[in-house]
Each structure stands twice: as structure tokens, then as C-alpha cells.
Amino acid sequence: MTTNPAWRVTTARLRLEPVSWADRDDLVALKTDPRAFAMMLGGVRTAEQATAELAEEIAAWGAQGFGIWTIRGQSTNAFLGITGLADRPDGRGIALRFALWPEVRGAGLAREAASAALRYGHDRISLPRIIAVARADNFASRTVLGAIGMTESDSFLRNGVQMLVYESVGPRTILGKDQP
């Protein structure tokens, strides 16, 4: 299957491509590694779970025009992690997600990728509200979410762990005009 070119996103240092079967090995490696995926919703995956998720993520792009991207270096093509937009299974809304290899953290790449995904959601597909959920003790993710303009809006407990909900509300459009 050929990827819709409108779904690709580039930044100064990164290339975001919708996930595909060609990414399976990279995605399985990332999602089965506790250093990268322990704090993600659902936690570390098995190879089988990661493969099943990949099928769902590919289908989401076709059905919704948004989903999960691989994050690759613009000049190196190295697989750095994932970011994207996905419906949360708990019904809270469409959520921004990101996970990068620990070796590439600290260079602003998560912020750059997450910001690009957030802009895509608001500017290119007109999502009015995008959320993100982070553990209260996950200061790195919370810092990224604040840096890209998301604000804390709610909290809840999941398995005894305090979770914080962040949100970004895009401009409202009434009769074709942007409203504050």
C-alpha cells in the first residue's frame, strides 16, 4: 500500500512517516523494550501484541486520516521512535502519543516530533481538541507536553497511579472564520 503523501510530516531534523509493515522490526524492538515503553498506556508489549497493534495503526490511517508515525532522522534515516494521534480506549478523546529510544532523549526530538503531530491534528485535519495523558511522576513527558503548549486539565487514578490529562484546543471555526 502506498502512503498518502499528505500524511507525511517533516521538521528541521525529523521525518514523520505513517507506520507501515516495513517498520515492523523497529516497532517491535521499541515496544518490547521497557526503557522505551514501560510508561506507555498498556506498558511493554510482546512481539505479537506489537504486530497486532501495527495492523490496527495502519488501518487507522486509512479510516481516519491520522495515526501513529515513525520518527526518523531527516539526514540519517535512523529510527528514533514514534509519535502520533490515536483514539484512547478509555473514551477520553484523541490523544497525542510519543515514545523515543532513551539514547536520543534530551536533544529536543520528542518536543519537535510531538509538536509536529499536534500541529497536524489541529491545522491539517481540524481536530478541535487533542489530549495527552502522562503519569504524574513522568516529568520528561510532562515537560514536553507543556513545552508544546498543552495545559493540564484533569487527573485520574489508574491502578493506583496518578495520571494527568493535558489538552490542546485548536481554534474554533464558525462560518469559515477562526474564532479565539
Side-chain angles (χ1 to χ4, degrees):
M1 178 174 100
T2 305
T3 299
N4 182 336
W7 296 343
R8 295 185 180 119
V9 177
T10 57
T11 69
R13 299 181 291 170
L14 305 173
R15 196 175 74 252
L16 308 181
E17 294 272 347
V19 293
S20 73
W21 287 111
D23 302 311
R24 182 191 172 281
D25 291 346
D26 286 331
L27 295 170
V28 167
L30 182 76
K31 292 182 175 188
T32 59
D33 189 325
R35 299 171 311 137
F37 237 69
M39 290 199 190
M40 295 295 284
L41 180 63
V44 176
R45 297 350 186 224
T46 65
E48 294 77 19
Q49 288 170 321
T51 301
E53 280 183 358
L54 176 57
E56 293 168 5
E57 292 164 352
I58 291 169
W61 277 104
Q64 301 169 315
F66 64 86
I68 303 298
W69 288 277
T70 58
I71 304 169
R72 295 192 180 276
Q74 186 77 274
S75 60
T76 66
N77 199 38
F79 175 76
L80 307 173
I82 60 171
T83 191
L85 304 166
D87 281 312
R88 280 190 56 91
D90 59 11
R92 293 182 192 281
I94 296 171
L96 172 67
R97 303 184 70 198
F98 56 92
L100 282 79
W101 286 115
E103 296 81 8
V104 300
R105 293 180 190 158
L109 298 175
R111 182 181 66 244
E112 189 172 328
S115 178
L118 188 64
R119 281 193 316 275
Y120 178 93
H122 286 313
D123 299 346
R124 290 181 52 188
I125 59 171
S126 301
L127 294 174
R129 178 176 180 262
I130 300 169
I131 67 161
V133 177
R135 292 171 54 127
D137 62 356
N138 187 344
F139 298 108
S141 288
R142 291 177 58 199
T143 299
V144 168
L145 296 173
I148 64 172
M150 297 188 85
T151 56
E152 191 177 328
S153 63
D154 198 6
S155 66
F156 63 96
L157 286 176
R158 184 177 67 215
N159 301 326
V161 176
Q162 183 73 24
M163 306 300 292
L164 302 177
V165 179
Y166 287 75
E167 73 176 352
S168 174
V169 179
R172 292 173 289 175
T173 303
I174 300 173
L175 299 176
K177 295 186 178 187
D178 288 341
Q179 302 295 314

